Amino acid sequence: MHPIPSALAFALVLTACNQAPPAEPSPDPTATPATTPTPAAATTPAADSGVTPKLADIRVFRDWAIACDNGGLCEAASLAAGENGVLGTGLIVRREGGPDGAVSVLLRKADGQVDTAAVQVDGKVVAQGRPDGESRLLLTGDTARRLIDAMIAGRVASIRVGEPVALSLSGLSAAMRYADDRQGRVGTVTALVARGDRPADTVPAAPALPVVRAANLAGAPAETPTAAAIAGMRRQLECTADDFGPVSQEGYRLDARTTLVLLSCGSGAYNFMTKPLLLRDGKLAPAPFDIAMDFGEPKPAGTPATLVNADWSADTGRLTSWAKGRGLGDCGSLQRFAWDGTRFRLVEAKSMTECRGAIDLVSIWRADVTH
């Protein structure tokens, strides 16, 4: 296995040559509305849950990695077999929680467009279709269920996107059994592996997602910090100017008296570090978060956050951090935060701890967002 480097390992690459910032992982066509801002409703908005995020663990079963998040969603990603850590094409098997939890399979080719794609198990084509413009094929309903059942029972599989690409089935059955257990399906007719006779209505409902009430963003121009204030924060946070990466302090207005400042704080070959600050009444301070992150790893409350390849979108009201485990982007961690008027709140987190060619990250935390 090739685990994702630790935070210390990331720090050691700061002297590497600079490259352009990496793109975020491709949007997941199966993503739920929880990852997008909720429009203001005529009715009273839901109360903020005030929950401290607890990130799900990723379990690895041979050549499959799986996580079941706080909303009961389980996602399993295919990995390259053995020491072959590069896989240009793969699958994400997804199962929603609850008695009627839907199944789906996302097939993706990392580079190059193809007209058709198919999955073959034990010499038989089980599923096929036409990928979209980003080389993704989403299989749902009975088609997805037939494919999952065939792969669990199968011995040899391949994905045909032009040339066939081997798909390891080693560990898939164990990963799906893990999902059955986490979703309370063991012994029921809804289970993928641990199937029994108990009816679907004995499966517990999927946990409700926590609610985050995001503040309405101000449209005013950002306030500009003084050079002395920036220099002081660089000294306090030990963010010296980087000889390789960009030296910047971009500002974005959050509300009437608050500006977000993203202070550059070092770079590596494919990761650009940033310290998020708040500027109020001419004074800078580290931005507070409901969960402090440093290279995707949770840190003690009050620790100044470190964002990687940070991006702020005023359109969505999201502050994004996307730390790549290696240049291929097949592993790492992604978080999206919303501003609630006091601090940044985690509303989405994805991760992949194995640097073995996974086509995407898997969900480890979600929240519903309201205003």
Side-chain angles (χ1 to χ4, degrees):
M1 296 185 182
H2 300 270
I4 180 175
S6 66
L8 175 61
F10 272 109
L12 295 177
V13 304
L14 296 184
T15 57
C17 296
N18 184 28
Q19 297 179 2
E24 290 184 16
S26 299
D28 182 354
T30 65
T32 67
T35 63
T36 58
T38 303
T43 57
T44 303
D48 193 301
S49 302
V51 174
T52 299
K54 184 178 180 181
L55 309 183
D57 294 326
I58 294 179
R59 295 287 303 272
V60 179
F61 298 94
R62 297 188 180 180
D63 298 331
W64 288 80
I66 185 171
C68 296
D69 71 12
N70 59 305
L73 169 66
C74 294
E75 291 181 321
S78 63
L79 305 174
E83 294 301 315
N84 178 22
V86 178
L87 188 67
T89 302
L91 299 178
I92 298 283
V93 176
R94 178 182 175 117
R95 183 76 190 268
E96 300 279 356
D100 299 322
V103 294
S104 61
V105 178
L106 175 66
L107 181 157
R108 178 172 169 236
K109 179 175 169 57
D111 56 359
Q113 184 63 36
V114 293
D115 293 332
T116 60
V119 182
Q120 185 170 297
V121 180
D122 294 338
K124 179 182 178 181
V125 173
V126 181
Q128 59 186 333
R130 183 179 297 275
D132 64 14
E134 296 185 3
S135 299
R136 298 177 304 188
L137 175 61
L138 178 63
L139 306 171
T140 60
D142 292 341
T143 301
R145 185 63 184 257
R146 283 195 300 270
L147 175 58
I148 295 170
D149 288 345
M151 291 192 299
I152 289 172
R155 294 174 298 169
V156 180
S158 64
I159 303 173
R160 297 190 173 273
V161 282
E163 293 296 321
V165 177
L167 174 66
S168 175
L169 300 178
S170 179
L172 173 60
S173 179
M176 295 298 95
R177 185 180 293 274
Y178 174 77
D180 287 340
D181 178 65
R182 292 301 302 271
Q183 293 179 338
R185 301 184 185 282
V186 175
T188 74
V189 295
T190 72
L192 292 172
V193 175
R195 202 169 300 166
D197 297 328
R198 288 196 291 117
D201 60 12
T202 63
V203 176
L209 293 178
V211 175
V212 170
R213 289 197 65 179
N216 292 317
L217 301 176
E223 186 181 354
T224 302
T226 65
I230 289 292
M233 291 307 299
R234 287 198 178 278
R235 288 192 299 270
Q236 177 181 330
L237 299 175
E238 299 181 345
C239 285
T240 57
D242 194 331
D243 291 336
F244 298 99
V247 178
S248 61
Q249 53 268 341
E250 295 101 350
Y252 307 94
R253 177 68 72 172
L254 297 178
D255 55 45
R257 60 183 293 260
T258 310
T259 291
L260 167 67
V261 177
L262 297 179
L263 182 70
S264 61
C265 195
S267 66
Y270 39 80
N271 285 316
F272 295 78
M273 276 57 74
T274 299
K275 291 290 187 181
L277 311 173
L278 294 186
L279 176 61
R280 284 176 171 162
D281 304 323
K283 297 180 180 179
L284 280 172
F289 287 72
D290 62 350
I291 179 171
M293 306 295 292
D294 193 349
F295 285 101
E297 298 179 5
K299 295 296 180 183
T303 302
T306 299
L307 306 182
V308 187
N309 303 315
D311 177 71
W312 167 256
S313 171
D315 292 336
T316 63
R318 298 293 182 270
L319 177 61
T320 301
S321 179
W322 165 215
K324 299 179 75 173
R326 63 176 178 174
L328 294 175
D330 60 340
C331 53
S333 64
L334 179 142
Q335 301 89 37
R336 289 192 175 96
F337 302 90
W339 173 249
D340 71 356
T342 301
R343 57 182 176 165
F344 282 102
R345 307 280 297 281
L346 184 67
V347 297
E348 181 184 13
K350 294 188 172 189
S351 182
M352 178 50 62
T353 54
E354 295 290 304
C355 296
R356 292 169 54 192
I359 62 167
D360 209 345
L361 313 180
V362 295
S363 177
I364 58 172
W365 174 263
R366 290 177 294 152
D368 277 329
V369 181
T370 186
H371 289 267

